[in-house]
């Protein structure tokens, strides 16, 4: 049974420099990677997270390779624009892989919503979730927690559309 580490995207600069959230998630991926694992990076382009000429997923892959991850363990990119799109595009890619377990890596403040979304869209897969510890200042962190709670309430109230 293959294990696939799925690293969710997050903002990078207009020139393609990975942001702190991205680095935290990617370093978490590196720490959890074991020989035999595959990696699937998510993130395409979008006004709110990446306006560079490079897909976020390609920036993530380049970073992980520089950190010593072999290039041949990477699956096709999920060129997504948001968390629901992550799961939808990942599901399409997973159709090409038999017998796999999923390890989904995101930030600690984002974990509850990611679990809700991925458990719905990828309900036929065995999965675990890993939260990369956020190191931002407490005010910024609390703003993101409030945003996540509102997003979760919206999903619970209105359902998940994909």
């Amino acid at each position: 049974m293959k294990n696939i580490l799925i690293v969710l995207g997050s903002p990078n600069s207009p020139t393609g420099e990975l942001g702190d959230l991205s680095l935290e998630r990617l370093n978490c991926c590196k720490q959890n990677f074991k020989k035999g694992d595959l990696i699937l990076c998510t993130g395409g382009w979008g006004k709110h997270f990446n306006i560079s000429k490079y897909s976020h997923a390609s920036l993530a892959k380049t970073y992980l390779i520089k950190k010593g991850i072999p290039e041949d363990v990477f699956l096709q990119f999920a060129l997504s624009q948001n968390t629901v799109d992550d799961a939808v595009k990942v599901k399409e890619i997973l159709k090409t892989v038999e017998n796999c377990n999923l390890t989904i890596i995101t930030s600690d403040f984002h974990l509850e919503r990611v679990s809700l979304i991925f458990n719905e869209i990828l309900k036929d897969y065995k999965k675990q979730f890993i939260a990369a510890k956020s190191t931002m200042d407490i005010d910024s962190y609390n703003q993101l927690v409030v945003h996540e709670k509102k997003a979760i309430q919206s999903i619970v109230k209105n359902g998940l559309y994909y």
Side-chain angles (χ1 to χ4, degrees), residues 71-149:
E71 188 166 359
D72 64 352
V73 304
F74 290 88
L75 293 172
Q76 174 186 342
F77 297 145
L79 298 176
S80 49
Q81 295 184 18
N82 57 57
T83 308
V84 173
D85 200 28
D86 284 338
V88 169
K89 286 189 166 68
V90 163
K91 185 175 183 179
E92 281 302 308
I93 293 166
L94 292 177
K95 290 179 180 178
T96 67
V97 182
E98 293 182 22
N99 298 324
C100 61
N101 293 324
L102 311 178
T103 300
I104 297 126
I105 300 170
T106 191
S107 301
D108 46 12
F109 62 85
H110 195 222
L111 189 66
E112 184 179 356
R113 181 160 58 109
V114 168
S115 299
L116 184 68
I117 293 167
F118 275 71
N119 281 330
E120 168 68 23
I121 296 173
L122 297 170
K123 58 181 153 242
D124 296 332
Y125 292 88
K126 184 177 178 197
K127 58 197 135 333
Q128 67 173 336
F129 298 88
I130 297 178
K133 175 103 173 93
S134 298
T135 58
M136 69 186 78
D137 67 87
I138 192 69
D139 290 336
S140 298
Y141 183 85
N142 287 337
Q143 287 177 351
L144 289 171
V145 168
V146 167
H147 168 78
E148 290 298 313
K149 287 184 187 295

Side-chain angles (χ1 to χ4, degrees), residues 1 27 31 37 44-45 50 56 80 100 106 124 126 132 150:
M1 178 91 40
N27 289 332
Q31 291 167 355
D37 288 349
W45 295 269
N50 181 20
H56 180 80
S80 49
C100 61
T106 191
D124 296 332
K126 184 177 178 197
K150 286 180 184 173

